[in-house]
Amino acid sequence: MDYFKNLADLLKIEQEDDRQAYRELTERSSVNDRRAAGLCWYPVVIKDTEIGRGDYLTLELERTNHQDILHQFRFGAEAALFSQHDPAGHRVEGTVSFQGGDRMKIALRIDELPDWVRDGKLGIDLLFDDNSYTEMFTALRLASTVDEKNPEGRLTKILLGEKPPTFQPPGQWMEQPGKDHRLNKSQRAAVEKILSAGELAIVHGPPGTGKTTTLVQAIKALVSREGGPVLAVAPSNTAVDLLSEKLSDEGLQVLRVGNPARVSERLMSLTLDSRMAEHAAMKEIKKMKKQAAAYRDMAHKYKRSFGRAEREQRKALFDEARNIMKEVERTEQYILDDLLAKAQVITATLVGSNHYTVRNLSYHTVVIDEAGQALEPACWIPILKAQKLVLAGDHCQLPPTIKSEEAARKGLAVTLLEKCVALHPEAVVLLEEQYRMHETIMGYSSAVFYEQRLKAHTSVADHRLFPTDRPMLFVDTAGCGFEEKTDGVSTSNPEEAAFLFKHLTQFTHELRAQDPAGDLPRTAVISPYRQQVELLKEQLLHSPLLQLYGDKLSVNTIDSFQGQERDIVYIGMTRSNPESKIGFLSDIRRMNVAMTRARKKLVIVGDSATLSQSPFYAGLIRYAEEQGAYQSAWELVDS
């Protein structure tokens, strides 16, 4: 089918660009550079070894320092154990089977440890993620051959726009057991749409509208009606964690496939590893593994120069160890089958939904959360296991990150959610009531992105930091001479950065005057440009007052704040040039994300002369003026 062939071609372009970028990042990097980039643990020590599936050796490792460095190791990732004595020669590859805190388990593709392991100076390198691409290519190939007579085939035709979705008549699901009557009107409508849908339902959840709460209640109702299990997936471990926790809070039996991004006792208890470890049959498995290890140790004691009798004895010991491990695998499979039979909801990342432990399962309903950030080829991995699909997200916020500009330009950046909203508006319910922002902060986004349908709940509609505070402000730096600077691939504006912190410092004095003993409300300073973020972080070091508030104040890119909220948000727009070039600020979804992070106060610092050539930013400045929220920077520059 041309549709899937085209997607596969775009994915191939993305894979090549991704691989090339990874190669450039790692091949010429020192171990310290790779560690700083989150691609290496060094040094590590071996805490334990055991025989895993297929006679492969599993190592448990621990990093012994540099624990504060964030890393990218995840369950299912490809990795290599190496010795710094000879990094190229002393190297063996495997797959991460567990990662939590400073511990990691890696299943190596060997059955005994090489001698060089004893010499120390060991580390773990993260390898390029070919596994995810393999899973995506396989899913696209299978999707192109699905028979439309099957339920999965009918769903595929609907997602491609070749057939309309079907819905049960209204009223049959109204008294569904477990329905949460605390949901607001549009949230209830979304749950009802999901329950009535034959093949496809879409929950469009703008910022702060309780999308996750709605999904949890819908899944609870689906389990009550269909018996489960429901497969609930998302593009990131963080999103899967949130969903898993909230589903468990509702009393559902949740089985989390893969390792959580956030290591908490609560989340870990939901994982497949943890559930297997608690199973009554695990005592027998431990006993058998110990026995197999003893036989292998005895076999390894034979030296390389031995006679026929010794060779036969060695072989017999290895055979016995293998026979025991086959029995271990059978028992593990029994435990797994038992746990899966009891699960009401299985949660995983998109790629993790095809992990070998759940690969052959199919589901009546698959739910994809944060579908606005999901790469379409990855969505087809769980979709092929479903008769019915629920997509939840917001295509008016940022799309998934695409490494290849060519692939993005040719359509890979367009998500399945975005396509389905356009193809099947009858399947969409917009969540209309938000519980985060003052109505003035919300107003412009509601008008531009959500057809003026977004409303602020009474609990937040007029919440402010203090009674006379203005919840929104556009501070115009036009004519101040705050010129942008371009350094290679990023843009910065030193004068704007200094001015922004001057403004924030003055506002902090106002807050202290209102409440001398009070703390700074949670505050974010954000910018679209990484170089500007570095400058802002530098400026913060020269602000003694703001330094007092430590972790109350975060500085980062807009993209890194998607999904988060703060009481106060300052946005430094950065761009200021005579040609009115605004670069990737022209992707107005990024600005939608930025503005909707703020709960009680939003301050945008920018050059109207540069920005207003864009209709979106001209409209934003007009909106600020209408709300009495416009201020010229000249009023503050000399103060």
Side-chain angles (χ1 to χ4, degrees):
M1 200 182 289
D2 287 348
Y3 181 88
F4 293 107
K5 184 183 181 305
N6 179 55
L7 262 184
D9 289 344
L10 294 178
L11 188 62
K12 188 71 180 168
I13 296 168
E14 170 71 0
Q15 182 185 28
E16 288 307 316
D17 278 29
D18 194 6
R19 183 183 278 120
Q20 182 59 32
Y22 192 88
R23 194 178 290 132
E24 287 171 6
L25 186 62
T26 57
E27 280 188 356
R28 291 186 292 276
S29 299
S30 68
V31 69
N32 290 334
D33 291 339
R34 297 197 306 278
R35 183 171 57 201
L39 304 173
C40 176
W41 278 14
Y42 180 83
V44 298
V45 293
I46 297 173
K47 302 297 286 184
D48 197 10
T49 64
E50 64 177 47
I51 304 300
R53 291 177 68 86
D55 265 1
Y56 287 155
L57 195 64
T58 296
L59 298 190
E60 183 180 338
L61 304 159
E62 185 178 19
R63 58 174 173 173
T64 52
N65 54 30
H66 304 284
Q67 287 96 335
D68 57 323
I69 298 176
L70 295 173
H71 63 86
Q72 298 176 40
F73 286 93
R74 294 288 177 265
F75 169 80
E78 299 293 299
L81 177 73
F82 68 90
S83 161
Q84 192 62 0
H85 290 295
D86 181 5
H90 292 169
R91 194 172 187 83
V92 59
E93 295 184 0
T95 305
V96 176
S97 58
F98 170 85
Q99 193 284 307
D102 295 311
R103 288 192 311 121
M104 184 193 305
K105 287 184 180 178
I106 177 169
L108 299 172
R109 291 188 264 280
I110 52 174
D111 59 7
E112 59 181 302
L113 281 176
D115 293 340
W116 51 259
V117 166
R118 299 186 187 92
D119 299 331
K121 295 185 80 171
L122 300 177
I124 289 279
D125 271 336
L126 187 66
L127 302 179
F128 179 73
D129 184 15
D130 265 319
N131 177 56
S132 293
Y133 284 103
T134 300
E135 294 283 8
M136 287 190 276
F137 282 123
T138 301
L140 294 177
R141 190 174 65 253
L142 289 173
S144 68
T145 61
V146 167
D147 185 346
E148 65 177 286
K149 291 173 187 170
N150 299 336
E152 295 88 350
R154 176 168 178 75
L155 176 59
T156 299
K157 292 288 182 186
I158 289 165
L159 295 177
L160 299 188
E162 295 172 17
K163 286 181 181 290
T166 61
F167 298 89
Q168 295 172 14
Q172 291 186 14
W173 62 92
M174 290 294 287
E175 299 307 318
Q176 180 73 29
K179 190 164 150 191
D180 191 332
H181 294 280
R182 294 167 298 177
L183 299 180
N184 65 41
K185 186 179 175 183
S186 62
Q187 289 172 331
R188 285 198 302 273
V191 174
E192 289 164 2
K193 178 70 77 174
I194 288 168
L195 292 170
S196 72
E199 306 85 11
L200 176 67
I202 300 168
V203 181
H204 183 185
T209 52
K211 171 177 62 66
T212 304
T213 300
T214 306
L215 273 189
V216 166
Q217 293 307 320
I219 291 169
K220 191 176 176 183
L222 284 166
V223 167
S224 177
R225 191 175 73 177
E226 297 167 3
V230 171
L231 175 63
V233 293
S236 70
N237 276 298
T238 306
V240 177
D241 289 353
L242 177 64
L243 201 51
S244 302
E245 222 164 15
K246 292 200 176 288
L247 287 163
S248 179
D249 287 344
E250 285 293 318
L252 291 165
Q253 285 294 316
V254 178
L255 197 60
R256 167 73 159 97
V257 176
N259 299 132
R262 190 161 44 84
V263 181
S264 71
E265 197 176 321
R266 178 70 199 286
L267 271 168
M268 294 307 289
S269 71
L270 302 178
T271 63
L272 191 53
D273 280 354
S274 174
R275 291 280 165 89
M276 287 189 79
E278 291 165 3
H279 200 279
M282 273 310 282
K283 279 184 183 174
E284 186 58 30
I285 282 182
K286 282 181 181 172
K287 191 172 157 188
M288 287 192 287
K289 280 187 173 180
K290 200 170 179 182
Q291 202 176 359
Y295 281 126
R296 291 174 69 91
D297 286 346
M298 286 163 66
H300 287 310
K301 281 175 185 169
Y302 287 95
K303 303 298 177 190
R304 285 189 173 83
S305 53
F306 45 74
R308 183 178 169 187
E310 288 86 351
R311 194 160 48 246
E312 286 179 359
Q313 180 64 14
R314 177 183 164 97
K315 182 180 180 299
L317 289 166
F318 274 129
D319 286 346
E320 192 57 38
R322 283 193 185 93
N323 290 335
I324 293 170
M325 288 309 296
K326 280 177 186 170
E327 187 57 35
V328 165
E329 283 189 29
R330 279 193 289 271
T331 311
E332 282 180 338
Q333 191 60 49
Y334 158 75
I335 295 173
L336 180 60
D337 292 342
D338 187 42
L339 290 171
L340 292 173
K342 291 172 181 169
Q344 294 174 307
V345 189
I346 292 171
T347 62
T349 59
L350 296 164
V351 174
S353 68
N354 212 35
H355 187 253
Y356 77 86
T357 51
V358 290
R359 179 164 290 154
N360 298 320
L361 294 185
S362 56
Y363 310 85
H364 185 273
T365 304
V366 166
V367 177
I368 302 180
D369 193 12
E370 300 297 354
Q373 287 195 281
L375 204 61
E376 183 179 348
C379 289
W380 285 99
I381 299 168
I383 287 170
L384 293 175
K385 302 171 185 294
Q387 296 176 38
K388 171 167 146 179
L389 175 66
V390 178
L391 293 172
D394 184 10
H395 54 287
C396 301
Q397 295 187 64
L398 286 169
T401 302
I402 311 285
K403 302 276 182 16
S404 166
E405 286 183 19
E406 182 189 352
R409 191 175 63 250
K410 289 181 175 177
L412 193 61
V414 182
T415 61
L416 187 63
L417 174 68
E418 200 170 345
K419 292 176 184 177
C420 287
V421 167
L423 287 169
H424 302 300
E426 71 276 25
V428 182
V429 174
L430 175 74
L431 302 182
E432 296 180 358
E433 196 164 24
Q434 63 84 16
Y435 298 81
R436 176 184 296 167
M437 295 163 272
H438 187 286
E439 59 188 2
T440 305
I441 296 171
M442 174 205 75
Y444 190 62
S445 279
S446 179
V448 174
F449 296 100
Y450 308 111
E451 302 170 339
Q452 207 69 274
R453 290 168 62 190
L454 204 55
K455 301 290 181 279
H457 186 261
T458 51
S459 62
V460 300
D462 194 38
H463 65 176
R464 303 167 188 253
L465 294 164
F466 51 88
T468 57
D469 185 43
R470 284 184 287 185
M472 180 181 171
L473 204 57
F474 182 91
V475 185
D476 189 359
T477 63
C480 292
F482 297 175
E483 290 290 310
E484 68 181 59
K485 292 175 171 52
T486 302
D487 175 21
V489 293
S490 196
T491 303
S492 62
N493 192 322
E495 288 91 349
E496 184 195 273
F499 172 82
L500 186 150
F501 273 113
K502 182 178 181 181
H503 193 284
L504 177 55
T505 301
Q506 287 184 354
F507 182 65
T508 305
H509 282 300
E510 279 185 59
L511 283 171
R512 292 180 83 172
Q514 295 287 327
D515 182 7
D519 207 346
L520 181 73
R522 291 193 318 142
T523 301
V525 176
I526 58 182
S527 168
Y529 293 95
R530 191 160 294 281
Q531 193 64 37
Q532 184 71 352
V533 167
E534 294 308 314
L535 263 180
L536 287 163
K537 286 178 177 176
E538 222 173 88
Q539 287 285 343
L540 182 58
L541 297 174
H542 302 295
S543 176
L545 175 63
L546 297 175
Q547 286 271 300
L548 294 173
Y549 297 107
D551 59 355
K552 293 284 182 182
L553 179 59
S554 313
V555 181
N556 217 325
T557 59
I558 292 171
D559 298 37
S560 69
F561 274 96
Q562 180 148 308
Q564 299 185 49
E565 60 179 56
R566 295 291 189 273
D567 293 307
I568 304 169
V569 172
Y570 271 71
I571 308 171
M573 300 299 288
T574 310
R575 300 309 298 257
S576 179
N577 57 73
E579 298 83 19
S580 298
K581 289 180 181 172
I582 60 169
F584 77 165
L585 281 184
S586 55
D587 184 349
I588 58 176
R589 291 174 297 183
R590 182 167 277 106
M591 198 58 188
N592 186 34
V593 170
M595 294 188 298
T596 55
R597 300 311 94 201
R599 296 182 69 247
K600 297 179 180 178
K601 189 174 187 70
L602 171 67
V603 180
I604 303 167
V605 179
D607 177 355
S608 65
T610 298
L611 296 171
S612 60
Q613 299 306 307
S614 153
F616 172 82
Y617 292 106
L620 172 62
I621 294 161
R622 265 196 316 277
Y623 175 78
E625 289 170 339
E626 289 162 6
Q627 300 298 320
Y630 175 90
Q631 183 178 38
S632 170
W634 282 101
E635 296 171 33
L636 295 135
V637 166
D638 298 319
S639 61

